[in-house]
Amino acid sequence: MKSSSELITETIEALNSLANHERKELAKTYYPTKMKVIGVINPDVKIVIKQLKPEIKHFNPKQNIQFSKDLVHTDIFECQQIGYELLEKNKKLLPHLSMLDVEQLDHNQDNWVSVDTYSSYILGVAWRLGIITDLEILNKTESSNFWIRRQALVATLGWNQKARGGTGNTEKTLMICMKLMDDHHDMINKALSWALRELTKTDRNSVIDFMEEYNDRLHGRVRREVWNKVNTGLKNPIL
């Protein structure tokens, strides 16, 4: 039986063996981060995850969660993503998360891939499960760091995406959208559009009401993408 540290060493070795130079170069502009990026394409990351699963199947929930946290804290981008995905794929683990676990998984949130993966896989589900509160999400909307503000919007997916176990929550989603609708940072505009488009799947009429009431205050990107979703079912029209 291998220890967590041995498995992490083997995971890093496996990732290094799959390094792709083009992928590593792409990361510098597509999702720049202070983390080390080995440069492994997503299908190859999934191969590493598949190899890992038999090795950790004997772990209890606490050990599994700690293993994911250890991966996240290697400060290697691909390890972070594996840590998040191992938790997301094992739905039985997520209810065992504590508020401290959620906070400790909130690490190296300096690029849109990390923010969106953490916020939709971990933060939003923890919010829906009551592990963290509305106030803790609302506090994120007041942060001077736009990545943290983006976390709050992407976390609404935990309520609205079927894949996350959500069935829809208009009140909580619009609560966050209203807090950030005047924040026109590009990363916030994109996340606000995403949050509203996801809500159309469970409460289209409330999104229409929101858009009509606040249309003049919303960024053009948000207006265009959300109205296209409402009217055509698509983010962007087919030209």
Side-chain angles (χ1 to χ4, degrees):
M1 187 180 301
K2 297 174 184 175
S3 68
S4 176
S5 60
E6 289 173 326
L7 289 173
I8 287 175
T9 298
E10 289 184 3
T11 299
I12 295 170
E13 289 174 350
L15 290 168
N16 280 323
S17 73
L18 296 166
N20 179 289
H21 177 72
E22 288 76 16
R23 181 72 173 196
K24 186 172 183 177
E25 289 300 305
L26 175 66
K28 293 178 181 178
T29 54
Y30 193 43
Y31 49 91
T33 174
K34 66 184 179 183
M35 286 181 283
K36 176 181 178 179
V37 176
I38 294 173
V40 183
I41 62 175
N42 289 334
D44 286 344
V45 171
K46 293 186 184 301
I47 289 172
V48 175
I49 292 172
K50 186 176 181 180
Q51 292 170 341
L52 258 180
K53 285 183 176 178
E55 300 284 356
I56 63 173
K57 65 179 181 180
H58 63 280
F59 283 2
N60 61 37
K62 184 177 180 179
Q63 290 171 321
N64 268 299
I65 292 168
Q66 186 60 53
F67 182 60
S68 287
K69 289 193 293 185
D70 290 344
L71 282 165
V72 168
H73 283 263
T74 61
D75 296 334
I76 297 173
F77 173 80
E78 287 85 355
C79 287
Q80 179 200 62
Q81 295 299 298
I82 290 172
Y84 291 155
E85 188 150 341
L86 286 173
L87 290 173
E88 191 273 339
K89 294 299 183 185
N90 189 343
K91 299 297 191 292
K92 293 180 180 179
L93 283 179
L94 294 172
H96 290 277
L97 289 171
S98 67
M99 185 170 68
L100 180 60
D101 292 328
V102 176
E103 291 173 352
Q104 290 174 340
L105 288 161
D106 184 356
H107 184 64
N108 284 330
Q109 297 283 289
D110 64 356
N111 67 91
W112 69 266
V113 178
S114 297
V115 169
D116 291 358
T117 307
Y118 166 75
S119 302
S120 59
Y121 285 13
I122 311 298
L123 182 64
V125 176
W127 184 18
R128 179 174 58 78
L129 293 174
I131 297 166
I132 58 173
T133 66
D134 292 358
L135 180 59
E136 286 161 318
I137 300 296
L138 284 166
N139 285 342
K140 288 179 178 291
T141 69
E142 303 289 344
S143 174
S144 60
N145 184 329
F146 66 86
W147 291 123
I148 296 176
R149 301 198 303 274
R150 182 178 171 103
Q151 284 182 347
L153 285 164
V154 180
T156 65
L157 273 60
W159 294 101
N160 299 317
Q161 278 191 336
K162 187 176 180 181
R164 309 277 81 79
T167 57
N169 192 311
T170 301
E171 179 183 1
K172 294 185 189 297
T173 302
L174 295 185
M175 172 181 72
I176 302 302
C177 290
M178 289 183 70
K179 288 285 290 184
L180 290 167
M181 65 182 173
D182 295 316
D183 182 341
H184 291 167
H185 190 287
D186 187 49
M187 284 294 165
I188 302 303
N189 291 328
K190 291 176 180 178
L192 178 58
S193 169
W194 190 11
L196 289 167
R197 284 183 284 112
E198 284 298 325
L199 185 59
T200 64
K201 298 175 184 178
T202 58
D203 193 351
R204 181 175 178 273
N205 289 337
S206 288
V207 175
I208 292 173
D209 291 343
F210 178 87
M211 294 295 294
E212 289 178 342
E213 183 172 358
Y214 300 110
N215 197 68
D216 292 342
R217 290 170 61 180
L218 297 168
H219 189 272
R221 169 192 284 275
V222 179
R223 294 198 302 269
R224 181 179 67 254
E225 292 180 353
V226 177
W227 280 123
N228 282 335
K229 182 68 175 180
V230 167
N231 294 325
T232 70
L234 302 172
K235 176 180 174 182
N236 296 306
I238 299 175
L239 300 178

